[in-house]
Amino acid sequence: MKPQAAGVLDDLFGVRHTGNVSAEIRSGSVEGKIAGHALTTVLREVEVNPALELAAGRALGTLGGTPVIIVNKVGRDRAILLNF
């Protein structure tokens, strides 16, 4: 296996990779809504890919500026990427 220039599933998840870097440890809280109900989740010392950026997807939460829960509408459905 060799590194790819772009993630194979980037379009599906609505993201783009800006480089091949090591994971970073981040902590923080993520807020969102599920079925109209507010939800707050605390993530402590999780590894994230800091080279991940939003393209078409929407971030439900970020840790240190890095999107960690990304939702991308695909047709009538949604693809969800957990970046931790």
Side-chain angles (χ1 to χ4, degrees), residues 5 31-32 47-48 54 78:
E31 298 179 5
E47 291 185 3
V48 301
L54 296 177
R78 291 176 188 88

Side-chain angles (χ1 to χ4, degrees), residues 14-33:
V15 297
R16 89 179 124 260
H17 287 81
T18 60
N20 187 14
V21 300
S22 297
E24 293 181 4
I25 296 177
R26 306 258 175 97
S27 297
S29 62
V30 176
E31 298 179 5
K33 287 187 178 182

